[in-house]
Amino acid sequence: MATKRMNVLVYSGHGATVESIKHCLYSLRRLLAPTYAVITVTGDAIIKEPWTSSCALLVFPGGADLGYCRALNGEGNRRISQYVERGGLYLGLCAGGYYGSQRCEFEVGNKKLEVVGNRELAFYPGTCRGCAFSGFVYHSEEGAKASELSISKTALAKGSVPEVFRCYYNGGGVFVDAPKFESKGVEILASFNENLDVDAGEGSAAIVFCKVGDGAAILTSTHPEFAPANLENNVDVPGFDEVVKALKEDDRQRVNFLKACLLKLGLQVNQEQNAVPSLSRLHLSSSHPSETVKILESLRHVISSRDGQDYLEDENDTFLLETPTAWSLSSLADALPDEEMEKAKVETEDMDKIIDYDKIVKRLVIHDADQPRSKDTPYFNHQAFFSNLEYYETKSAQISEGFGKNLLYGEVVTSTNTLLEKNTELLRRLPMGFTATATVQIAGRGRGTNVWVSPAGSLMFSTVVRHPVSLMSQAPVVFLQYLAALAIVEGIQTYDIGYQNVPVKLKWPNDIFASDPSDPSGKTFVKIGGILVNSHYSSKEYLSVVGVGLNTTNASPTTSLNALKPPAPFTLEKLLARIISCFSALYTRFVRSGFDKYFEDLYYKHWLHSDQIVTLEAEGGIRARIKGITTDWGLLKAEELGWEDRATGRFLTLQSDSNSFDFFKGLIKRKV
């Protein structure tokens, strides 16, 4: 199995400021998604979890580097250094730049602010000294300025690089004597054009590139990741509005410079920024419209009315309920007076910044008379989905649980899992098998802190399973993730005649892998999908939301089903119908027989791990050979290996440490 470096990890632990983290996520996602998943990582995860093999870039944002030291000195920094030296990449922004230098000298002589000392990473083999410009105040814009930088086009050979541009500055240092370290792999990417308030030695380096073993680091004193659209104009600091104005004038140059830096590190960068799309309307429909009416009736006593409109205000989201007729009237917006159109244009421009999507009212269209037309949902054909679902169910030998008969669809949503699982008033009233799907997710969720990238072309859906507590002894709810994984692989290989050899496999416990089309030997597998299950206990049953993300027609971030050269391309509507119908049939059998030999044989037929040897790092390096899974709680069964990997005859039951990156890098013996 190959692990593709697709994660860009932004440090969010002790020392990092919330604002700096937000700016990092905003700018990097626009330039790197969907090729990379830009997500946060804690200090504890850096120290304990197996993040290095899947990490394309480690980012330390603005904040206070002393906090980074307290969290990561010792083991954390050892792992970061080893990661970079072995080919990893590091981006240190402002405080992250101080932290990545051999020595930090900050506000020397200022008793309230002074921070002086050597640093363990030492990617830059000299001193980062600040503040380059006086006036810095923590958590304030008082010392902020639009600092003019001169760019080295020699060092940044790729991309459209400006010669000069103004960049947000607030407390960064200067890399002292940077030209003297050229022989040690240091290149100056940008220099300050203004007089500095500290001794910079030779040169006035503001941003440097450092070769570190087989890897590299870029350290900055300014904030090229800060987009002026996300800076407040009304801050009560004299002159700050002029700073924002200057930054807006040079914003295109800022973006081009940031792109050039990422290209310098060897990352794949979008030609144009991926603007985060606006949320679309949600459409609620059913295979039979009467079922939609039943759902609406079950929600009546949690729906409130104000100003003649119906709202469902839930824990995470607020939904405005609309009828298809009322919704179609919105097309009259094309006839709005010019003044109203200008107002709408301004509101759209305001969306091009950091947005709290939880605060946006979601418009929910209730299709209680018919299914949505193709012109209403151009990227999802409801008629094709429901007709395929009916066809597959007629072929099934199992009595259907009704999975997929009630559907919530949105072209652009936050996360199908969030819409269901985080809104408990809605969730408690949804029928068994209710499914939500989307064309694009802009805040998709994955295991732990992980995120499965969800661009258009991915099949993304979440299904509600109401599992009675009375079944727990024979059919534990933990097996839902295994049933979902089986449904995906079985659904793909029984999609139609000729699909039985599409090379997809299961990785325990909840990932889907496919043969890498770039490897002609067929021995390399890469991740194309994942499963996330969240369960809540509620009134004698477990309310579970089973979320799935599966690369179907999109090539990034790894590969897709259609790249595997099936007999004919998969379509999202038909594939969703097939997987849902398989899930329904498997669940029906599961509640009757539990995870019996039928399921064991089916699971082992599709999984990647037969006789795989693993090392139990948390158990002193014990090696063991995987033999299967337990049928009570779905844990791994393994046989301990001794000298020359010979079986000792001792069997182990293994569970994961629940890290966010790779279950097989965090196996531990189950404590009985």
Side-chain angles (χ1 to χ4, degrees), residues 2 9 65 73 106 174 185 199-200 202 209 255-256 413 455 464 589:
L9 303 180
D65 109 299
N73 273 357
F106 181 80
V174 60
D199 181 7
E202 184 179 338
F209 171 90
V255 173
N256 287 338
V413 306
V464 176
R589 182 186 179 106

Side-chain angles (χ1 to χ4, degrees), residues 514-526:
S515 178
D516 188 347
S518 65
D519 180 7
S521 73
K523 295 180 180 179
T524 303
F525 283 79
V526 294

Side-chain angles (χ1 to χ4, degrees), residues 18-44:
V18 173
E19 286 304 308
S20 292
I21 295 166
K22 286 182 178 179
H23 280 281
C24 274
L25 295 175
Y26 171 86
S27 290
L28 293 177
R29 283 174 176 167
R30 289 165 67 90
L31 292 176
L32 298 175
T35 306
Y36 304 95
V38 183
I39 60 179
T40 58
V41 63
T42 64
D44 196 51

Side-chain angles (χ1 to χ4, degrees), residues 168-224:
Y168 178 81
Y169 168 91
N170 196 356
V174 60
F175 298 95
V176 178
D177 290 326
K180 295 181 179 180
F181 297 110
E182 183 179 355
S183 62
K184 293 187 177 183
V186 174
E187 299 176 53
I188 300 172
L189 305 185
S191 300
F192 290 111
N193 275 354
E194 302 141 298
N195 293 328
L196 305 180
D197 294 329
V198 293
D199 181 7
E202 184 179 338
S204 56
I207 301 175
V208 293
F209 171 90
C210 309
K211 192 75 179 78
V212 184
D214 293 331
I218 287 181
L219 311 180
T220 81
S221 57
T222 58
H223 285 279

Side-chain angles (χ1 to χ4, degrees), residues 449-472:
T449 58
N450 224 350
V451 171
W452 183 246
V453 183
S454 306
S458 289
L459 175 61
M460 298 162 280
F461 69 93
S462 300
T463 297
V464 176
V465 178
R466 309 183 75 106
H467 192 70
V469 172
S470 60
L471 295 175
M472 284 295 288

Side-chain angles (χ1 to χ4, degrees), residues 1-15:
M1 289 174 289
T3 301
K4 185 174 180 180
R5 291 191 169 187
M6 57 171 281
N7 286 335
V8 172
L9 303 180
V10 178
Y11 176 75
S12 62
H14 189 55

Side-chain angles (χ1 to χ4, degrees), residues 564-636:
L564 303 179
K565 299 181 180 179
F570 288 92
T571 65
L572 295 175
E573 295 89 347
K574 185 175 178 180
L575 183 58
L576 175 61
R578 187 59 187 132
I579 293 173
I580 286 290
S581 64
C582 285
F583 192 16
S584 184
L586 290 169
Y587 180 78
T588 300
R589 182 186 179 106
F590 172 67
V591 298
R592 187 175 66 244
S593 65
F595 203 81
D596 61 5
K597 190 174 187 306
Y598 168 83
F599 282 108
E600 280 192 273
D601 292 344
L602 190 62
Y603 195 80
Y604 297 150
K605 171 187 172 183
H606 292 306
W607 83 333
L608 284 163
H609 310 299
S610 294
D611 292 326
Q612 177 183 341
I613 294 177
V614 296
T615 300
L616 281 60
E617 297 173 0
E619 306 296 333
I622 295 174
R623 286 166 66 81
R625 180 176 283 114
I626 301 299
K627 305 305 289 184
I629 60 174
T630 65
T631 56
D632 52 0
W633 298 109
L635 303 176
L636 284 180

